[in-house]
């Protein structure tokens, strides 16, 4: 039976060696006050300790001090298993210092492994991850030198087919943020941007005889409508009411509490960019790439657009009018709206619906998208892509591996090189004023996020759109498909590549 508790009382339910599962998405819908209560307890009692934390999409707060950062840094956590570490500013630095074990698995594969555990299964089979870094035949999921757990991902064969088998330690504490709890303990997510893995996490924790702790904005006397309840009260052990901090009206556009017509998407997005201070610096190269990549869209396409340079695709999709004739999706479960970016990445303006994250990855893993637009750090001679790990830094694979694994058309949006690149455009003619110091086309990528071998076997169409040209994937490697007006094919492209391409 659930009980109403203070954050400190809820934190006292957590024991040494527990496996916590946090329902959040990168930097949103994280139960920050619960994390702070855990930290205060740890400072006072040196407990709980030796914790393991699992989170499909990470649980940061875009701060080195807020959320879980402090108790992770002070030594309460022995192991992290996450799809993305981008919003965990302190933690992702400490990982590279071997301060604790850390594992990076594809976001959707963690989500499906949680759902499998909820159903009494030890793990989840997937084609996602074959021939990329997480595959034990390549690197495996460990990020640093001390992360040697080989039980999380196994290469297996079923009925003559290769799969990866993803398992997680048995989770026995759920940390979840919801909107309201009614008098029966039922939890709704009415004002939340997403529901994530909330239900599956609770079911898995209860199956493992653990504790479900839910932080809510308010307690209400009127019972929630059955279809609005995400977590039934019978699954809940502790309800912690924390009044939300005031926020700008722009954030309300992400809750689905009122209708936002297509014609207003951009207005709300601009308001959000001002509030979150995440409006990307407009640059000529990004605009060129976005304009060219948008030409690959067709009416009625179901689409995923990544963050960074690919966001220019949505700008030109709006300018050309096709944005109203396609369906955008985001990994956290949103379908049919306009994905927000920056610190509220994972939320959606004007979504048609918001489904559980595991269901969204069912769509992605089975080729339910028509096309996706992704960024890239490196591309090698065979067409493999590294998008998750740079020199001395990493953010994590996130949903990238799931999104690109089976989507019929994959478009990578990237500059030809970086660090000092200067580009000019006059009408349709492009000029390279200065090349960047860091090449993006290399003989061999540092780590594989996207496998060209798997893409060819799946019959996927793969394009690499830059500010000066377009490459496409062939069985022989990259082929130079298109050179933009004003670009010297030899001087601006071929002479700068460390490998030969077809053209």
């Amino acid at each position: 039976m659930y009980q109403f508790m203070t954050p400190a009382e809820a934190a006292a339910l957590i024991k040494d060696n527990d496996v916590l599962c946090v329902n959040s998405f990168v930097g949103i819908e994280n139960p920050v006050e619960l994390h702070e209560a855990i930290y205060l307890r740890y400072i006072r009692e040196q407990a709980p300790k030796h914790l393991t934390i699992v989170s499909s999409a990470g649980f940061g707060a875009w701060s080195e001090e807020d959320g879980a950062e402090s108790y992770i840094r002070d030594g309460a956590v022995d192991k992290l298993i996450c799809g993305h570490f981008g919003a965990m500013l302190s933690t992702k630095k400490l990982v590279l210092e071997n301060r604790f074990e850390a594992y990076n698995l594809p976001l959707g594969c963690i989500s499906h492994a949680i759902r499998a555990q909820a159903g009494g299964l030890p793990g989840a089979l997937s084609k996602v991850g074959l021939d990329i870094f997480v595959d034990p035949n390549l690197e495996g999921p460990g990020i640093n030198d001390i992360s040697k757990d080989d039980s999380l991902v196994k290469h297996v064969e079923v009925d003559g087919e290769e799969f990866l088998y993803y398992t997680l330690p048995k989770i026995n504490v759920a940390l979840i943020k919801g909107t309201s709890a009614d008098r029966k303990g039922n939890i709704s997510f009415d004002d939340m941007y997403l529901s994530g893995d909330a239900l599956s996490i609770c079911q898995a924790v209860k199956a493992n005889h653990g504790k479900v702790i839910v932080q809510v904005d308010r307690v209400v006397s009127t019972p929630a409508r059955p279809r609005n309840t995400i977590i039934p009260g019978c699954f809940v052990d502790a309800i912690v009411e924390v009044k939300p901090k005031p926020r700008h009206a722009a954030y309300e556009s992400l809750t689905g509490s009122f209708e936002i017509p297509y014609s207003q998407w951009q207005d709300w997005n601009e308001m959000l960019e001002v509030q979150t201070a995440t409006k990307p610096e407009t640059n000529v190269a990004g605009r060129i790439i976005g304009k060219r990549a948008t030409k690959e869209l067709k009416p009625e396409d179901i689409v995923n657009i990544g963050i960074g340079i690919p966001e220019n695709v949505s700008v030109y999709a709006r300018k050309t009018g096709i944005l109203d004739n396609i369906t955008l999706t985001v990994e956290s479960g949103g379908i049919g709206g306009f994905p927000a970016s920056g610190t509220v990445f994972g939320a959606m303006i004007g979504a048609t619906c918001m489904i559980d994250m595991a269901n969204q990855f069912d769509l992605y893993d089975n080729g339910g998208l028509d096309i996706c637009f992704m960024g890239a750090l490196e591309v090698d001679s065979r067409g493999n892509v590294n998008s998750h790990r740079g020199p001395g830094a990493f953010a994590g694979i996130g949903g990238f591996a799931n999104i690109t694994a089976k989507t019929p058309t994959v478009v990578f949006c990237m500059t030809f090189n970086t660090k000092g690149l200067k580009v000019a455009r006059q009408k349709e003619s492009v000029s390279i004023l200065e090349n960047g110091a860091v090449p993006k086309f290399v003989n061999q990528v540092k780590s594989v996020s996207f496998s060209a071998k798997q893409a060819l076997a799946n019959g996927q169409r793969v394009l690499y759109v830059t500010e000066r040209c377009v490459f496409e994937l062939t069985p022989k490697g990259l082929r130079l498909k298109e050179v933009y007006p004003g670009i010297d094919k030899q001087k601006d492209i071929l002479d700068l590549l460390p490998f030969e391409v077809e053209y």
Side-chain angles (χ1 to χ4, degrees):
M1 178 67 178
Y2 70 90
Q3 291 182 317
F4 290 102
M5 297 185 180
T6 65
E9 290 170 336
L13 297 177
I14 302 171
K15 303 185 299 294
D16 291 353
N17 301 297
D18 275 349
V19 180
L20 283 58
C21 193
V22 183
N23 187 59
S24 61
F25 192 92
V26 185
I28 59 176
E29 311 304 28
N30 190 13
V32 171
E33 286 78 7
L34 287 178
H35 289 302
E36 291 173 352
I38 294 169
Y39 171 62
L40 291 174
R41 181 187 167 203
Y42 184 75
I43 291 299
R44 185 176 62 251
E45 305 175 14
Q46 288 297 290
K49 56 183 180 293
H50 302 307
L51 299 175
T52 294
I53 306 184
V54 176
S55 180
S56 297
F59 51 102
W62 299 105
S63 165
E64 294 199 358
E65 301 301 329
D66 296 330
E69 300 289 306
S70 296
Y71 69 82
I72 292 174
R73 182 170 55 241
D74 283 8
V77 176
D78 286 355
K79 180 184 292 189
L80 289 175
I81 303 168
C82 296
H84 203 272
F85 292 76
M88 303 164 70
L89 302 188
S90 169
T91 298
K92 65 183 181 181
K93 296 176 184 176
L94 299 178
V95 165
L96 298 180
E97 296 174 7
N98 293 325
R99 291 279 294 275
F100 40 78
E101 292 182 59
Y103 300 88
N104 183 211
L105 279 62
L107 194 163
C109 298
I110 299 178
S111 184
H112 285 160
I114 292 170
R115 186 175 64 182
Q117 198 171 120
L121 301 173
L125 283 176
S126 183
K127 290 280 189 181
V128 174
L130 287 170
D131 291 323
I132 70 171
F133 78 98
V134 75
D135 191 328
N137 289 347
L138 273 73
E139 300 175 42
I143 297 171
N144 58 26
D145 297 334
I146 64 172
S147 301
K148 305 295 186 182
D149 188 345
D150 60 3
S151 69
L152 300 175
V153 188
K154 296 178 181 178
H155 201 118
V156 299
E157 186 175 302
V158 179
D159 292 336
E161 285 192 69
E162 287 184 300
F163 293 88
L164 293 185
Y165 186 54
Y166 293 91
T167 63
L168 299 170
K170 286 191 175 184
I171 57 179
N172 64 348
V173 175
L175 296 181
I176 294 171
K177 188 174 187 294
T179 297
S180 63
D182 68 15
R183 63 173 183 258
K184 296 181 179 179
N186 300 314
I187 309 297
S188 76
F189 282 61
D190 295 346
D191 294 340
M192 299 292 105
Y193 304 152
L194 53 94
S195 58
D197 294 315
L199 180 58
S200 292
I201 292 170
C202 292
Q203 290 173 318
V205 167
K206 297 318 288 182
N208 295 330
H209 310 290
K211 300 292 184 182
V212 171
I213 303 171
V214 183
Q215 176 183 318
V216 297
D217 293 341
R218 58 184 178 269
V219 177
V220 298
S221 57
T222 304
R225 295 184 64 182
R227 291 293 297 174
N228 291 348
T229 295
I230 301 295
I231 305 171
C234 60
F235 291 170
V236 180
D237 294 286
I239 297 173
V240 178
E241 183 180 10
V242 178
K243 299 296 184 184
K245 297 176 182 177
R247 60 187 180 188
H248 190 273
Y251 290 95
E252 299 305 313
S253 67
L254 306 173
T255 67
S257 56
F258 56 93
E259 182 182 3
I260 302 178
Y262 160 76
S263 60
Q264 297 178 15
W265 286 358
Q266 186 60 27
D267 295 334
W268 285 101
N269 189 51
E270 288 175 357
M271 281 191 281
L272 277 167
E273 286 174 340
V274 171
Q275 291 302 313
T276 58
T278 58
K279 187 174 181 60
E281 182 181 349
T282 302
N283 64 81
V284 175
R287 292 199 298 270
I288 294 169
I289 294 166
K291 185 176 182 179
R292 171 59 187 86
T294 303
K295 294 180 180 180
E296 300 302 319
L297 285 169
K298 302 185 299 297
E300 300 187 6
D301 274 351
I302 303 174
V303 186
N304 182 285
I305 298 175
I307 58 175
I309 291 178
E311 291 179 75
N312 288 280
V313 173
S314 61
V315 173
Y316 282 94
R318 181 172 57 86
K319 287 182 178 180
T320 62
I322 198 172
L323 185 61
D324 195 27
N325 295 310
I326 62 177
T327 300
L328 298 180
T329 70
V330 69
E331 295 94 302
S332 59
I335 298 175
F338 189 86
S341 62
T343 59
V344 288
F345 172 63
M348 207 169 203
I349 298 167
T352 301
C353 69
M354 180 65 69
I355 62 178
D356 284 355
M357 199 149 60
N359 296 119
Q360 189 77 303
F361 282 100
D362 289 337
L363 173 77
Y364 293 167
D365 289 1
N366 202 33
L369 292 172
D370 294 297
I371 188 170
C372 64
F373 300 86
M374 298 283 112
L377 295 175
E378 299 176 311
V379 175
D380 67 21
S381 60
R382 292 171 292 176
N384 296 318
V385 174
N386 170 23
S387 75
H388 73 281
R389 188 158 190 168
F394 82 102
I397 192 69
F400 177 99
N402 302 85
I403 294 165
T404 59
K406 211 172 179 182
T407 297
T409 299
V410 179
V411 182
F412 292 107
C413 301
M414 55 183 290
T415 54
F416 195 90
N417 45 50
T418 188
K419 297 295 183 185
L421 173 66
K422 294 181 181 178
V423 181
R425 178 178 62 179
Q426 186 172 14
K427 294 184 178 180
E428 296 303 313
S429 181
V430 178
S431 302
I432 307 301
L433 305 179
E434 189 173 331
N435 278 298
V438 178
K440 289 197 141 190
F441 290 89
V442 297
N443 282 313
Q444 185 173 347
V445 294
K446 295 180 180 69
S447 188
V448 179
S449 311
F450 172 83
S451 166
K453 173 185 173 184
Q454 287 293 321
L456 291 168
N458 291 335
Q460 293 169 276
R461 178 171 175 259
V462 183
L463 298 179
Y464 309 79
V465 177
T466 78
E467 79 289 345
R468 64 189 74 184
C469 63
V470 179
F471 296 98
E472 68 176 346
L473 180 64
T474 76
K476 294 181 180 180
L478 297 187
R479 182 177 79 85
L480 182 58
K481 174 182 173 66
E482 185 178 328
V483 178
Y484 302 163
I487 294 296
D488 185 312
K489 180 171 69 175
Q490 189 67 44
K491 177 175 72 74
D492 294 330
I493 301 171
L494 298 179
D495 287 350
L496 300 178
L497 289 172
F499 49 82
E500 294 187 358
V501 296
E502 292 184 88
Y503 55 90

